[in-house]
Amino acid sequence: MDPRVREHARTVVDHSAGIEAGEQVVISAPAAASDLVVALYEECADRGAHPVSLRRNARAKRAFLRNHDGDFETPDHLLAMYDEMDAYIAVLGDVNATETADVDPETNAAYRRAMKPVLEERLSRTFCLTQYPTSGNAQLAGMSSEAYENFVWDAVGLDWDAQREHQARMVEILDDADEVRIRSGERTDVTMRIAGNSALNDYGEKNLPGGEVFTAPVKESVEGEVHFDMPLYRQGREIEDVRVRFEEGRVESYSAGRNADVLDGIFETDAGARYLGELGIGMNRAIDQFSYNMLFDEKMGDTVHMAVGSAYPETVGEDNETNESAEHVDMIVDMSDESVIEVDGEVVQRNGTFVFEEGFGED
């Protein structure tokens, strides 16, 4: 076994999830990530925890969704298991990243609505989402297997204490802020209020790798247009060139250069799917190339991302409304050129460089 696999498992168990003796741990992973599952079991055993594994199978999920009548029910047996667990570790890893590409978007939306109580229960526990470097994801990223392994384990193996300190400066800027404005090129100019909400520092706990500062906009405050100029993979399909116009917080119009019908399904899932639940600012400089994997791409330096759908409750102040939805779909804006982030009228990032970084303000 590659020693980096055991180091990955140790980081998940100690840094990300903080697994302790006696805890009930659920590990969900595909067969391709079996080495990491074995290492996670070893680490859980060393700490006196009790793991159980679920085998994620994209082919089986596709078969289920394509053969179902679409009238889904919440799986109470799965809900019961999550109710009993202390921690949840989800490992991503695809053999075929487009396995579910031929599932109807409306079916996906109906399934997500039925699974919403399960998701909420899972997110109420300690959890960590991470990635194992598989051949499918390497191919999607346009990398050799060796290059992708290095990419994943370099991003996972950061000095997370140093990353936390770096990102804390952005948290401080946002903590007492009222309004954020994001401008990029000629097509993105959007404002949103964040007053009363909290900015959180993601340094490799719930997401590994981490590397972002994120908050929630006040629900009906988002105004303007956004060109999400970096693509995303959703439901096994690539969505490109997304343009969205917000009025009083709601998505009033949108378009996509490719696979717009997937967006249709997302926005029609429920009422909350047309509102922003998250604003995130990427700050992980170790993630230095786009990989068609949102776990990594949203953390890249020189980017911001916005997620339509559910807000993380811990980011929403008690006097503000928490947006609720069965969806949470991140989309990314490249901020490396002709771009600024303004907080209460002051520029805090220009062309990807933060006000507290060397080179801010230079042409």
Side-chain angles (χ1 to χ4, degrees):
M1 182 184 295
D2 191 314
R4 295 175 296 181
V5 176
R6 286 198 167 87
E7 185 60 32
H8 188 169
R10 196 169 299 117
T11 301
V12 169
V13 168
D14 288 338
H15 172 75
S16 301
I19 301 299
E20 297 179 352
E23 290 191 328
Q24 312 293 328
V25 182
V26 174
I27 301 169
S28 175
S34 60
D35 276 0
L36 182 56
V37 174
V38 169
L40 287 167
Y41 264 63
E42 291 174 347
E43 296 297 328
C44 285
D46 286 346
R47 289 151 187 78
H50 308 290
V52 63
S53 63
L54 302 179
R55 177 65 56 83
R56 183 183 290 115
N57 188 315
R59 289 182 62 198
K61 182 178 180 180
R62 172 187 177 274
F64 176 71
L65 294 178
R66 282 177 57 86
N67 287 275
H68 203 281
D69 63 8
D71 187 18
F72 297 99
E73 296 182 0
T74 301
D76 291 336
H77 60 303
L78 188 60
L79 189 61
M81 182 180 67
Y82 289 162
D83 181 59
E84 291 294 324
M85 73 181 180
D86 297 300
Y88 179 80
I89 298 169
V91 181
L92 303 178
D94 296 306
V95 174
N96 178 2
T98 61
E99 187 64 57
T100 58
D102 54 0
V103 176
D104 184 77
E106 291 184 4
T107 301
N108 270 305
Y111 179 69
R112 290 185 68 83
R113 286 193 293 270
M115 292 294 290
K116 184 182 176 185
V118 176
L119 177 63
E120 290 174 342
E121 185 65 39
R122 198 172 73 202
L123 294 178
S124 72
R125 300 296 193 265
T126 297
F127 72 89
C128 174
L129 174 65
T130 193
Q131 174 76 40
Y132 186 81
T134 59
S135 58
N137 293 112
Q139 187 173 33
L140 191 63
M143 301 184 202
S144 67
S145 296
E146 181 181 3
Y148 190 66
E149 288 173 357
N150 293 336
F151 172 77
V152 169
W153 284 319
D154 285 350
V156 164
L158 280 188
D159 180 338
W160 292 112
D161 289 336
Q163 189 69 23
R164 180 185 63 235
E165 293 176 7
H166 173 63
Q167 294 174 181
R169 289 175 283 187
M170 193 65 212
V171 173
E172 185 177 354
I173 289 171
L174 294 177
D175 261 345
D176 297 319
D178 177 25
E179 184 179 85
V180 177
R181 182 181 183 187
I182 296 167
R183 294 185 286 122
S184 182
E186 298 180 355
R187 296 188 177 94
T188 293
D189 191 346
V190 63
T191 60
M192 63 193 73
R193 296 186 60 242
I194 60 171
N197 289 346
S198 298
L200 300 188
N201 190 339
D202 169 22
Y203 52 95
E205 293 183 306
K206 294 180 178 180
N207 281 185
L208 184 68
E212 66 171 296
V213 170
F214 65 101
T215 187
V218 175
K219 183 174 179 179
E220 297 181 352
S221 72
V222 186
E223 297 282 348
E225 297 184 355
V226 184
H227 178 206
F228 295 104
D229 51 0
M230 302 183 78
L232 69 146
Y233 250 76
R234 186 74 177 178
Q235 301 166 12
R237 297 166 70 186
E238 183 180 11
I239 310 173
E240 292 181 332
D241 194 28
V242 176
R243 303 177 190 221
V244 177
R245 181 170 59 86
F246 294 93
E247 293 182 6
E248 296 182 351
R250 188 176 186 272
V251 174
E252 289 298 330
S253 64
Y254 62 91
S255 65
R258 185 180 183 191
N259 287 323
D261 62 318
V262 179
L263 280 184
D264 296 338
I266 291 168
F267 288 133
E268 295 303 320
T269 299
D270 50 40
R274 283 184 174 256
Y275 289 84
L276 279 189
E278 179 192 3
L279 167 66
I281 300 172
M283 300 185 68
N284 188 333
R285 302 293 189 196
I287 301 173
D288 57 2
Q289 67 182 95
F290 190 74
S291 64
Y292 289 94
N293 183 334
M294 195 58 69
L295 181 62
F296 292 79
D297 297 339
E298 69 174 4
K299 313 301 192 322
M300 290 176 65
D302 303 350
T303 67
V304 299
H305 59 275
M306 303 172 208
V308 293
S310 61
Y312 296 107
E314 59 268 36
T315 65
V316 182
E318 60 181 16
D319 295 328
N320 290 333
E321 179 183 357
T322 301
N323 191 45
E324 296 185 358
S325 174
E327 294 285 4
H328 183 94
V329 181
D330 296 289
M331 294 179 281
I332 303 174
V333 180
D334 181 355
M335 299 292 289
S336 63
D337 188 40
E338 297 183 2
S339 302
V340 296
I341 300 174
E342 297 177 11
V343 176
D344 294 334
E346 297 291 329
V347 175
V348 301
Q349 187 199 68
R350 179 178 287 109
N351 298 336
T353 303
F354 294 99
V355 65
F356 47 79
E357 290 183 312
E358 185 177 350
F360 178 78
E362 297 180 1
D363 292 332

